[in-house]
Amino acid sequence: MQKARGLFKEFFPERGTKTELPELFDRGTAGSFPQTIYCGFDPTADSLHVGHLLALLGLFHFQRAGHNVIALVGGATARLGDPSGRTKEREALEAERVQSNARALRQGLKALAANHQQLFANGRTWGNFTVLDNSAWYQKQDLVDFLAAVGGHFRMGTLLSRLSVQTRLKSSEGMSLAEFLYQVLQAYDFYYLFQHYRCRVQLGGSDQLGNIMSGYEFIHK
């Protein structure tokens, strides 16, 4: 229904629209309800903007349907910069600026969730709206340990084949190693939320499909 209304454009894997997703969200399927869904928001500025609206509408829709949703602020990943949908590298932000932006984004997301709950309450049982920051787990990671545990599960050919990577590699600007590794960290975010919150669905803008695919494949491996 939401895809027909234009809220959701693409699904991965494609077969999920006919079999996997209906089973996940069917209240009558034993043990499948509620599900946990997440969407990431990088704190490149100190407030949300209109580009976040569709993703938030998706989260709120699932919450009203009784599912638990997570708004993940990229307090760690924002320091690398997501190359998806960009023709050149994002201007690097100082750690203090990222922390300040992340704090403001968390407050904004919590305020929106509270207003949504207050203004659209319909008497039904809603799911939880949780705001997290991925710096909470990356601050505890040792670089060598992380690469040893995670890096071996990613194939260079697959990472290089992503549209966001191909576009940047063919540009005059090129692509930095930090940007290239962004999709690995986003994939790990999905894995971490799957392990700790049983999150099985990720929402994102259309430019995020390659990163979402990387997370899906990493979890399966």
Side-chain angles (χ1 to χ4, degrees), residues 96-149:
E96 294 77 11
R97 176 72 179 278
V98 173
Q99 291 175 4
S100 176
N101 288 348
R103 184 165 52 250
L105 233 61
R106 292 195 301 270
Q107 293 173 348
L109 287 164
K110 290 176 182 178
L112 276 175
N115 291 338
H116 173 237
Q117 185 83 37
Q118 180 180 358
L119 297 174
F120 292 90
N122 54 15
R124 297 173 60 183
T125 301
W126 286 18
N128 298 323
F129 189 103
T130 304
V131 179
L132 300 175
D133 190 324
N134 63 10
S135 63
W137 48 88
Y138 286 118
Q139 287 177 349
K140 303 174 184 178
Q141 290 279 2
D142 175 82
L143 176 60
V144 175
D145 289 342
F146 179 80
L147 290 176

